[in-house]
Amino acid sequence: MAQEDVFKKIVSHCKEYGFVFPSSEVYDGLGAVYDYGQYGVELKNNIRKYWWDSMTLLHENVVGIDSAIFMHPSIWKASGHVDAFNDPLIDNKDSKKRYRADVLVEEYLAKIDEKIEKEVEKAARRYGGAFDEAQFRSTNTRVLEQQSRREAVHARFAKALNESDFEELRQIILDAEIVCPVSGTRNWTEVRQFNLMFATDMGSTSEGAMKIYLRPETAQGIFVNFLNVQKTGRMKIPFGIAQTGKAFRNEIVARQFIFRMREFEQMEMQFFVRPGEEMEWFNKWKAVRLAWHKALGLGDAKYRYHDHDKLAHYANAATDIEFEMPFGFKEVEGIHSRTDFDLSQHEKYSGKKMQYFDPELGQSYTPYVIETSIGLDRMFLSIISGSYTEETLGSGESRVVLKLPPALAPVKLAVLPLVKKDGLPEKAEDIVNMLRFDFRCQYDEKDSIGKRYRRQDAIGTPYCITIDHDTLNDGKVTIRFRDTMEQERASIGKLHEIIAEKVSMKNLLKKIND
Ligand code: ATP
């Protein structure tokens, strides 16, 4: 099935099974804003908990805060967001569609990469075991041609972005003959800058009102509380502050479902270090964060690092962790070495000292910062995409199953009486009452057992527990495993242990702590 079709199916699956709904749907929706449904919110909460616990339980020098969404407007002047939080936009005059100019070029580069990989795959099939990939890549004329085209465009692109040269950016689009996917033409406008922050007024009188912004990132709330936390928590450098919460960006192009939203949630951690030690910590956090992703078991090959061509005004190193979404490898998390930029700027704009006295060195300095910043909604999308599976069963039937990491699954077990009589529902309810304090359980007695299994597969429930007539005599139930569909008899007294083994967050956290 084409990846595009898979993505469409994932979007409709999310809606049909209560994971994600378009916001304000009865009014035809609101661009790039989404609501999470009954299962979506559970999955989202579990992802957030996995992140929060991994930060604050596994690192004794990382603590959390929860700062307000509204902040003093000078913060956004100091951080550079008022002047520089812009995206380059370009319109196609025929289709009237708006695009991010940088994304058009990035997609063009990704297409060249795809062509090269196809050539390599084709040759590998042709030559079989005798295939020498390195030699093919360095000698095949078609590959070399594509490679040099890519490098030329890439070099110009990186330079144009770094120098904020928008005429050149437009010229690259023209020279590469990039067409609008809708109209198919190359009739492009100039490239213009567009600030992504939402603004509103705070205060009741028009004279007294103050223009404030909805935060476009949660990080600044951490920076301005850096000394509050350091002093009240008696924190010693190196230490980190973690925070999760909503962020808002007036994105130019709202596409790809919850990948790019105008209201979304971030999970960010700022780690304060001695100046000069930042690269060591940058590399350490890169590894820690990748291990966190991989522990979910969606497949190591689905992740890769992507180093930035353009460094943000505050960074001296930056990498993304990308996940292979149905529409290609895309950024899920950014890891940035932000130098002392933010703290120094707040010191300058607020007039308050933002320095730390290092008792070991006997001197004060402005700490350097390593940031890990992940979008909760993008993480959600990566997990759903990596878990969504269509299977044809031996009987000729098919099933859709979300092979969610069990610790993140919205419902951990379903308890199903085989029939609605003979005391089986009562027994099932006893089991639910026994397990509901530790695991989210669902009781279901409607329809055939097969249909009930399918419903649980579709929402990713790792275990189904079936109660039959024998249960009343031998105290045993049938456990059915979601991924293998294998079934096993187990005594009711053992259920807690069996389920906890797979679904507990503790075991997931232990994997990354080893
Ligand atoms: P992009 O280049 O895709 O716009 P970014 O580099 O601007 O992303 P950051 O500012 O580094 O993103 O934000 C950190 C994380 O926040 C991203 O890795 C992503 O997971 C998430 N994020 C950023 N913008 C959005 C958005 N509009 N919708 C959902 N998640 C987002």
Side-chain angles (χ1 to χ4, degrees), residues 363-383:
Q363 68 182 63
S364 295
Y365 54 79
T366 309
Y368 270 46
V369 173
I370 303 303
E371 160 181 270
T372 71
S373 172
I374 171 169
L376 177 47
D377 313 86
R378 277 196 198 173
M379 190 62 204
F380 185 107
L381 183 58
S382 73
I383 290 173

Side-chain angles (χ1 to χ4, degrees), residues 296-339:
L296 291 173
L298 297 176
D300 290 1
K302 286 192 173 290
Y303 300 92
R304 71 179 188 196
Y305 289 125
H306 169 77
D307 294 328
H308 281 210
D309 289 326
K310 183 192 177 193
L311 291 177
H313 55 278
Y314 51 74
N316 69 357
T319 296
D320 295 335
I321 293 177
E322 294 186 336
F323 181 83
E324 192 176 13
M325 303 276 187
F327 41 90
F329 273 95
K330 295 285 170 194
E331 168 181 349
V332 173
E333 171 158 6
I335 298 149
H336 309 123
S337 171
R338 291 181 80 124
T339 68

Side-chain angles (χ1 to χ4, degrees), residues 418-445:
L418 196 58
V419 289
K420 262 193 270 183
K421 54 182 188 185
D422 306 337
L424 301 190
E426 290 75 12
K427 190 75 193 163
E429 274 180 29
D430 286 349
I431 295 176
V432 170
N433 283 329
M434 178 181 90
L435 296 173
R436 70 175 354 144
F437 301 98
D438 292 311
F439 313 110
R440 191 167 300 280
C441 309
Q442 207 170 67
Y443 172 83
D444 190 2
E445 58 175 26

Side-chain angles (χ1 to χ4, degrees), residues 85 87 100 102 106 196 216-217 249 251 258-266 268 308 314 320-321 331-334 336 371 373-379:
F85 193 52
D87 274 342
R100 263 175 64 177
D102 54 336
E106 272 167 13
L196 300 182
E217 63 176 27
R249 298 183 186 179
E251 297 283 358
I258 56 172
F259 181 79
R260 192 172 297 288
M261 301 158 91
R262 296 202 166 103
E263 172 181 341
F264 58 101
E265 191 164 338
Q266 288 186 315
E268 297 197 296
H308 281 210
Y314 51 74
D320 295 335
I321 293 177
E331 168 181 349
V332 173
E333 171 158 6
H336 309 123
E371 160 181 270
S373 172
I374 171 169
L376 177 47
D377 313 86
R378 277 196 198 173
M379 190 62 204

Side-chain angles (χ1 to χ4, degrees), residues 227-279:
L227 279 182
N228 283 339
V229 174
Q230 189 272 317
K231 286 187 178 140
T232 57
R234 293 166 40 243
M235 309 299 291
K236 284 205 180 73
I237 275 184
F239 74 92
I241 304 178
Q243 156 152 258
T244 69
K246 287 279 173 115
F248 305 83
R249 298 183 186 179
N250 198 1
E251 297 283 358
I252 299 174
V253 187
R255 266 189 300 146
Q256 294 164 328
F257 192 37
I258 56 172
F259 181 79
R260 192 172 297 288
M261 301 158 91
R262 296 202 166 103
E263 172 181 341
F264 58 101
E265 191 164 338
Q266 288 186 315
M267 308 191 285
E268 297 197 296
M269 195 278 304
Q270 312 292 325
F271 197 74
F272 300 90
V273 304
R274 283 182 183 160
E277 294 185 358
E278 70 273 16
M279 286 323 287

Side-chain angles (χ1 to χ4, degrees), residues 73-264:
S74 298
I75 286 176
W76 304 111
K77 194 73 193 150
S79 68
H81 283 82
V82 171
D83 298 318
F85 193 52
N86 301 319
D87 274 342
L89 67 86
I90 191 165
D91 295 279
N92 182 273
K93 292 183 197 162
D94 299 319
S95 66
K96 308 271 182 288
K97 287 275 171 202
R98 179 159 289 178
Y99 299 90
R100 263 175 64 177
D102 54 336
V103 172
L104 283 181
V105 180
E106 272 167 13
E107 285 175 357
Y108 171 80
L109 292 172
K111 270 196 200 127
I112 301 185
D113 287 339
E114 251 172 55
K115 277 189 194 149
I116 295 175
E117 291 319 306
K118 278 208 181 115
E119 289 288 348
V120 174
E121 275 166 31
K122 222 167 62 192
R125 272 199 306 275
R126 192 162 359 113
Y127 294 112
F131 183 57
D132 180 342
E133 185 177 324
Q135 197 201 355
F136 181 78
R137 281 183 190 271
S138 60
T139 53
N140 179 273
T141 43
R142 271 193 308 275
V143 169
L144 290 177
E145 256 169 42
Q146 300 281 13
Q147 196 65 43
S148 80
R149 193 152 62 95
R150 186 196 192 286
E151 276 160 24
V153 174
H154 183 255
R156 279 178 72 188
F157 177 55
K159 187 161 177 284
L161 284 186
N162 272 323
E163 293 172 0
S164 297
D165 182 347
F166 301 116
E167 266 178 41
E168 169 67 355
L169 195 52
R170 177 170 190 267
Q171 201 53 50
I172 295 170
I173 292 172
L174 295 180
D175 293 349
E177 303 187 346
I178 297 175
V179 297
C180 164
V182 177
S183 66
T185 70
R186 287 182 252 141
N187 196 4
W188 296 110
T189 62
E190 298 303 305
V191 174
R192 281 160 299 146
Q193 285 289 59
F194 177 77
N195 191 288
L196 300 182
M197 278 197 297
F198 285 99
T200 185
D201 295 319
M202 181 181 266
S204 51
T205 59
S206 53
E207 318 85 72
M210 188 202 262
K211 181 178 180 186
I212 57 163
Y213 299 98
L214 296 189
R215 67 181 178 196
E217 63 176 27
T218 61
Q220 297 303 324
I222 295 179
F223 291 124
V224 295
N225 278 297
F226 155 69
L227 279 182
N228 283 339
V229 174
Q230 189 272 317
K231 286 187 178 140
T232 57
R234 293 166 40 243
M235 309 299 291
K236 284 205 180 73
I237 275 184
F239 74 92
I241 304 178
Q243 156 152 258
T244 69
K246 287 279 173 115
F248 305 83
R249 298 183 186 179
N250 198 1
E251 297 283 358
I252 299 174
V253 187
R255 266 189 300 146
Q256 294 164 328
F257 192 37
I258 56 172
F259 181 79
R260 192 172 297 288
M261 301 158 91
R262 296 202 166 103
E263 172 181 341
F264 58 101

Side-chain angles (χ1 to χ4, degrees), residues 347-361:
E347 184 166 301
K348 197 164 115 195
Y349 277 75
S350 68
K352 309 268 167 34
K353 274 254 163 294
M354 288 285 193
Q355 297 211 332
Y356 167 79
F357 178 75
D358 192 324
E360 276 174 39
L361 298 180

